Amino acid sequence: MTVTMEDVAREAGVSRALVSIVFRDVEGASTATRERVREVADRLGYRPDQRARQLGRRRTRLVGVTYAVHLPFHGELVEALYAAAAPTGWDVMLSPVTARRDETTAVESLLDHRCEAVVLLGPSLPSRALDLLFARVPTVVVARSVPRRTVQVVRTDDAAGARAATEHLRSLGHRRIALVDGGRAPGAAERRRGYRAAMRAGGLDDVALVPGGPTEHDGEAAGEALLATSPRPTAVLAFNDDCAMGLLNTVRGAGVRVPSDLSVVGYDDTAVAGLRAVSLTTVGQDPDALAHLAVTRAIALAEGDAASAEQVVPPHLVVRSTTAPPP
Amino acid sequence: MTVTMEDVAREAGVSRALVSIVFRDVEGASTATRERVREVADRLGYRPDQRARQLGRRRTRLVGVTYAVHLPFHGELVEALYAAAAPTGWDVMLSPVTARRDETTAVESLLDHRCEAVVLLGPSLPSRALDLLFARVPTVVVARSVPRRTVQVVRTDDAAGARAATEHLRSLGHRRIALVDGGRAPGAAERRRGYRAAMRAGGLDDVALVPGGPTEHDGEAAGEALLATSPRPTAVLAFNDDCAMGLLNTVRGAGVRVPSDLSVVGYDDTAVAGLRAVSLTTVGQDPDALAHLAVTRAIALAEGDAASAEQVVPPHLVVRSTTAPPP
DNA sequence: TTCGATGACTAGAGCGCTCTAGTTCGAGGT
DNA sequence: ACCTCGAACTAGAGCGCTCTAGTCATCGAA
């Protein structure tokens, strides 16, 4: 049916081992033979079978990735992960977590394929489960901090991000700055810390935490809560861009002008934030840096390197048009 | 290192073949032995190696899926595909296409893993390339129609969707109804046809096609173009929800009230459309139905079934708050 | 008693590769 | 002439499974 290494070897008049040498690109074949084998392989349409390769090699060079299929930011990370893995010779295997496919299933499926390391994007597994997982396979957690950690963590310095955003608002003259909290979402605790620290450092004690979450829906609810508070804050830092969008839609629907009545800052610098008609001031994470660190770390762990410390990537404030001095 | 079938066999005092029988859940083992093997396997933490399994089985039972990592609708389809594949015993393997990873790469990688069939979500490959691919592996194209087709196609009846949306606007009293075109995007041609047909059937000859595309950015541009036309349409059918969002933001920014000044209809019934603060009238596709047909078809093809005709899933109009009678 | 039948289990080849431990051979040194 | 050495190549044993073609009791029927 499908053409194997055997076919190529026969057709080229060499041994299977030789074809293997050529395709692994290791030394042990003359240039002339190399060319002939490649030519024959191309002619027959031969492509090495990855599974057989992995099995024979006695390792997979596969890093498994779990991610939330509906989060745009995870999409960006996935793109960056593939880009980061490409030059290493390692392969990426995706395992989505959805409403109907939980994180455990996603991870197990990666292990069943014998991934040598796994990268979890913003996992919601309890940190005990992460420790257990780490005992089974080198694990790198991205975009979430894990307290008493054994797993590797690669994340944005969310405290710094929230601090920068808060300071930006304060420097515009705002004093009543609210934070739409992310609850138990990855990064929420750090953002809270950064916000609090900046408020304190700025001499602002009107710390206002509005319950929220990572979805546009959470943003809507937070928007309504915000409209009901009095005195109403003049600026708000939303947990992320999606949340900010929901909030924006809600408060604008109630006649609040942004940014003249209310300044809004998002988080993540998602694609929507950059649209001219939205132009959301936000805190950008660096997916490429995060992804690069994550695969580098994952591969290093799989190669037997000792665990290193948590790695933190600095965020950057992107000032657009949803922030202005208070009324 | 990792525990194999051999280990379980030794520990349970049976042959490898017996363990295999138990794990494949085929007959040939007594209930007592089954339980003992399972118990030992659990104790040792044994999980069958998928690659070895696929290799030994001489088939993978793997359906490969390419999708655009940044499209929310593809995310929904991916979720539905996993759900649809679960009861079949087949496995899904994802291969994202991103700005840095083209469709060809994505497909090749699936073939290197010997997927027995591939499902392409809204592929942008030319139909010649699809024919070539189909010659190599059973291929199902989802959410795009392919003209002179050899590949299997599973898609929403986009013409019907556009027609329904247009008729909804007409029945509200609109006569100047514009369509933001999707250009070469999957489904665009059908939606154009449906729109034109509905306009003609409704006796409306003011067909107005505004250039557009599948992204929020395209929607913004279309919004600006729309604001510049005169007489200005009183209703607009956007290529999809993202496009509609961009358009909404732009026209609202220019002081146009929706729906009182302008009615807007989207397409896809994405998560944003359902948010109370957005509440976009839109045309819903049925990801579960599409996914179910796609995997069913993919598996059938892989099992040697003859190609069947294109399969079309009816869309449904979701009326929300962005449509109203004209001013 | 013999003879299938049937159920429970095993031996071992094979899947398409990798990789170690060779073999072969021609060139260069003495 | 002989020896050595390295480059080019090959044999064959895995990797962890599946699955066909058995073997071996046991049991009911003739």
Side-chain angles (χ1 to χ4, degrees), chain B residues 82-108:
Chain B
Y82 272 89
T88 66
W90 282 59
D91 223 347
V92 171
M93 172 162 225
L94 290 186
S95 190
V97 357
T98 72
R100 294 176 255 180
R101 191 170 192 265
D102 62 29
E103 213 147 358
T104 309
T105 308
V107 170
E108 289 309 327

Side-chain angles (χ1 to χ4, degrees), chain B residues 125-171:
Chain B
L125 286 173
S127 69
R128 273 192 43 248
L130 293 176
D131 289 347
L132 251 49
L133 178 61
F134 190 72
R136 291 212 279 163
V137 62
T139 305
V140 177
V141 169
V142 177
R144 160 179 172 191
S145 76
V146 180
R148 180 186 42 80
R149 92 191 69 87
T150 58
V151 293
Q152 295 288 293
V153 172
V154 173
R155 62 178 182 87
T156 297
D157 189 345
D158 282 328
R163 205 182 315 122
T166 311
E167 271 159 14
H168 162 63
L169 292 168
R170 200 202 35 151
S171 74

Side-chain angles (χ1 to χ4, degrees), chain A residues 250-276:
Chain A
T250 301
V251 301
R252 279 188 174 138
V256 173
R257 307 291 300 179
V258 175
S260 43
D261 298 338
L262 180 74
S263 285
V264 176
V265 182
Y267 206 107
D268 283 351
D269 196 17
T270 305
V272 273
L275 296 173
R276 268 169 308 161

